[in-house]
Amino acid sequence: MNEFDINTNTWYIDGFAFSEDGGLNLEDMDWLCDVSQETMTTEEYVITGFESLQEAFENIEPDTDEQQDARDWC
């Protein structure tokens, strides 16, 4: 997903797939980073229906650490 807290005009998700399952080895999960242009979709899946929330992220100026933390966690 794009960084929706700073890109408030359009929220989207890029799709991708892995050529094979690298397995569940908690000590070595680096295969999850093996995403390339060849395995990604060419079109973005645009998320709609959250325009009021997008506007809130565009207009909010956190003035406390707690508000900034909440924004970061979102």
Side-chain angles (χ1 to χ4, degrees):
M1 185 171 183
N2 67 321
E3 293 184 57
F4 68 92
D5 59 328
I6 60 174
N7 298 307
T8 56
N9 291 333
T10 304
W11 288 354
Y12 65 87
I13 298 171
D14 290 318
F16 62 90
F18 296 101
S19 57
E20 62 183 76
D21 183 345
L24 179 61
N25 176 354
L26 298 180
E27 301 297 319
D28 183 19
M29 299 298 285
D30 290 341
W31 65 271
L32 290 170
C33 297
D34 293 337
V35 176
S36 65
Q37 292 291 344
E38 293 80 35
T39 62
M40 293 178 67
T41 57
T42 56
E43 294 183 37
E44 299 163 343
Y45 174 76
V46 177
I47 301 169
T48 61
F50 292 94
E51 289 77 12
S52 60
L53 188 55
Q54 287 169 259
E55 186 177 329
F57 268 94
E58 183 176 0
N59 296 322
I60 192 170
E61 287 295 330
D63 57 4
T64 67
D65 288 343
E66 289 83 11
Q67 287 178 342
Q68 185 61 51
D69 287 346
R71 181 184 176 104
D72 292 343
W73 278 102
C74 284

